[in-house]
Amino acid sequence: MGLIDVHAHFLLPDYVAAAERAGHVRPDGLPAWPEWSAQRHLDLMDNTGIAKSVLSVSSPGVHFGDDFRAQVLARRVNEAAAELGRQHPGRFGFFASLPLPDVDGALVEAQYALDVLQADGVVLTSNAGGQYPGDPSWDQLWRELDARAAVVFLHPTSPPQWRQVALDRPRPMIEFLFDSARAVADLALTGVFSRFPKVQFIVTHTGGVLPLLGDRLDPYRPTSGDLPSVSSELQGLWYDLAGTPVADIDHLLYGSDHCFTPASAVAAQIAALDQSPIAANWRTRTTANAVQLLGERVSV
């Protein structure tokens, strides 16, 4: 059974140019933007047994300080992703980018992407301009996504105070893992998970440092009101395979993180999983989980 890669990135020249104009010449402290092409991505998929990749724009997202330009850029990358799916039937799906923290613009783009472009869900960064996803101003967006039982792919980005905490190291090295955990904890402790239970969340890198934080969240729950058990809510989320799982096998998904992870590293990761005695049947299980979550449209 071919793999379904739920954590796969693509880059358009227009997107990279817009990011660089906004000052993101070294994205999140990395030396440079990686190169991406549909054909090289397909070659990687064919060489490693990946049947379908669900594409998304990675950090730093599409909002670089101007709401209108973010709306235009989100529409551009989403239409390009949909076109890739049409050009390569059955090989590419996508999670739609939204111009957050512009909630009104995000609502318009979510409706267009899900209804017209047939996106598999939406991608949100762990924070948007320093706003975390439990911010009350986002409730209208959560209501819309909950009404649709939409899939939300939650991808880390640099924390707003990265200059003080990253110590000149690339933020994906350390800070991404903490910002993912910060965003998920915020969603739990502000009641987003409990108030909008139909939204299906995918958390990257198996939740970052959430396995370490999970036991600490419940004892502090009374400080944030009468909320359900945070640890049980964490088990109801979906996680990709890069890290130590916080959930059981029924909620694990495959994710490569290509193109920010080079093709050679993706191939090595898959080979290691294939050879691991504790990861028996991981291809079948993660693909079946992806079909359960995303629907028959992604079946292979």
Side-chain angles (χ1 to χ4, degrees):
M1 182 178 290
L3 289 169
I4 296 175
D5 183 358
V6 301
H7 188 161
H9 300 307
F10 75 116
L11 288 170
L12 302 179
D14 291 354
Y15 172 78
V16 174
E20 289 183 337
R21 284 194 301 270
H24 297 278
V25 177
R26 299 180 64 227
D28 296 298
L30 295 175
W33 290 93
E35 294 184 359
W36 183 87
S37 75
Q39 188 56 56
R40 282 196 294 269
H41 202 134
L42 289 166
D43 290 343
L44 168 66
M45 293 166 64
D46 292 340
N47 291 335
T48 54
I50 299 172
K52 185 164 189 172
S53 291
V54 186
L55 301 174
S56 60
V57 170
S58 183
S59 175
V62 297
H63 199 297
F64 304 129
D66 181 276
D67 286 352
F68 177 73
R69 290 183 178 181
Q71 294 166 17
V72 172
L73 187 58
R75 182 63 55 90
R76 169 76 179 96
V77 298
N78 291 338
E79 289 187 334
E83 180 60 25
L84 284 167
R86 289 190 289 269
Q87 291 174 355
H88 306 281
R91 304 307 305 274
F92 290 131
F94 78 103
F95 294 128
S97 294
L98 305 181
L100 288 165
D102 172 17
V103 174
D104 290 340
L107 281 165
V108 170
E109 191 59 28
Q111 292 162 357
Y112 177 77
L114 295 170
D115 291 341
V116 178
L117 299 181
Q118 297 297 297
D120 294 293
V122 300
V123 55
L124 304 184
T125 50
S126 52
N127 76 84
Q131 280 188 4
Y132 283 86
D135 191 285
S137 66
W138 291 32
D139 274 9
Q140 189 177 359
L141 176 62
W142 292 127
R143 279 193 292 272
E144 177 70 19
L145 297 175
D146 187 68
R148 296 169 174 271
V151 174
V152 172
F153 181 66
L154 187 65
H155 192 280
T157 190
S158 295
Q161 73 282 16
W162 64 264
R163 288 180 176 83
Q164 286 73 39
V165 297
L167 304 177
D168 293 327
R169 299 182 181 94
R171 277 84 78 191
M173 181 186 294
I174 299 172
E175 301 311 318
F176 271 24
L177 302 181
F178 284 96
D179 214 57
S180 281
R182 188 176 293 112
V184 173
D186 188 50
L187 287 164
L189 295 173
T190 57
V192 170
F193 291 148
S194 57
R195 289 183 289 122
F196 306 104
K198 294 180 182 178
V199 180
Q200 299 290 311
F201 288 89
I202 302 174
V203 184
T204 61
H205 313 119
T206 58
V209 296
L210 274 175
L212 300 177
L213 289 179
D215 290 340
R216 295 182 60 86
L217 294 177
D218 274 345
Y220 289 91
R221 191 162 30 110
T223 66
S224 296
D226 184 19
L227 298 176
S229 167
V230 174
S231 58
S232 64
E233 288 184 333
L234 296 183
Q235 294 174 20
L237 307 180
W238 299 83
Y239 301 87
D240 73 32
L241 269 177
T244 303
V246 72
D248 61 29
I249 186 64
D250 291 333
H251 275 248
L252 293 182
L253 304 164
Y254 173 68
S256 70
D257 206 0
H258 187 68
C259 58
F260 286 84
T261 297
S264 58
V266 173
Q269 177 211 34
I270 288 176
L273 287 167
D274 283 338
Q275 295 165 14
S276 172
I278 64 172
N281 299 320
W282 72 276
R283 289 176 178 261
T284 301
R285 295 300 296 272
T286 60
T287 296
N289 290 346
V291 172
Q292 178 186 342
L293 173 64
L294 299 175
E296 292 299 325
R297 239 172 357 111
V298 300
S299 63
V300 293

